[in-house]
Amino acid sequence: MVGTWKGKYRYHFKKGVEFNDQEVEFIIEIKEFDGEKFSGTVQDHDEYFGTKGIGIIEGKIDGNTIDFIKQMPVKTLVLNHKKRVEDSSKKHRPVYYYGISDHENSFSGTWKIKGGISFLNKQLYLSLPTKGFWEMSKL
């Protein structure tokens, strides 16, 4: 598990939304693994559809299933599925990843961001739940 993983995630919205099926590549560096729990860093490689900065991940593996939380350092909202708004003084909402191992060195599954109320640049926003698909393989 320790090492570099390359992957991508896709947004899943209803048809007609600009972000629908957009892919964002990422690199994960797993730095610690005790046979069950792991932690490391993650970086998206897309300035428009991804989230800026180097984030942290923490998760666990149980048999062939994996789940982890991705926490990015820059809060990002997409208004009306088009305009991005960022606030580097706050962290992004946690992103929850769930998946299974297709074989020893790859995983795929779904991700989600829970909805809720957010403040960004002193304005109140209602964030709808966001979800999609992901996959990654060890380099």
Side-chain angles (χ1 to χ4, degrees):
M1 192 70 193
V2 171
T4 304
W5 295 75
K6 182 176 182 179
K8 59 186 172 184
Y9 62 86
R10 288 189 327 273
Y11 292 89
H12 182 69
F13 293 109
K14 61 185 175 185
K15 294 197 183 291
V17 174
E18 180 182 6
F19 274 48
N20 193 44
D21 285 331
Q22 290 296 324
E23 285 188 354
V24 176
E25 291 185 354
F26 61 83
I27 294 289
I28 290 179
E29 293 285 340
I30 302 295
K31 298 180 179 184
E32 295 182 24
F33 180 57
D34 68 5
E36 179 184 353
K37 295 180 182 178
F38 63 89
S39 63
T41 60
V42 59
Q43 185 171 18
D44 288 352
H45 290 279
D46 187 314
E47 287 294 315
Y48 188 71
F49 295 107
T51 304
K52 292 181 181 176
I54 297 175
I56 59 169
I57 61 165
E58 293 183 336
K60 65 179 180 173
I61 293 179
D62 184 9
N64 70 335
T65 65
I66 186 171
D67 65 87
F68 60 94
I69 298 172
K70 173 181 166 182
Q71 182 66 66
M72 297 302 285
V74 178
K75 186 171 188 168
T76 306
L77 292 176
V78 178
L79 306 178
N80 298 323
H81 303 292
K82 294 178 184 173
K83 180 183 174 190
R84 286 174 56 94
V85 180
E86 297 175 347
D87 183 348
S88 59
S89 69
K90 295 182 180 166
K91 290 181 181 181
H92 193 280
R93 286 183 169 275
V95 185
Y96 300 90
Y97 284 75
Y98 307 94
I100 59 170
S101 176
D102 299 333
H103 52 77
E104 190 173 312
N105 289 318
S106 71
F107 292 93
S108 63
T110 59
W111 61 268
K112 71 177 180 179
I113 302 171
K114 295 177 182 178
I117 295 173
S118 296
F119 286 94
L120 190 63
N121 300 327
K122 299 182 182 178
Q123 293 186 10
L124 178 66
Y125 294 97
L126 174 62
S127 298
L128 298 175
T130 307
K131 63 183 178 177
F133 306 100
W134 68 277
E135 60 187 58
M136 70 178 187
S137 298
K138 191 165 187 186
L139 293 180

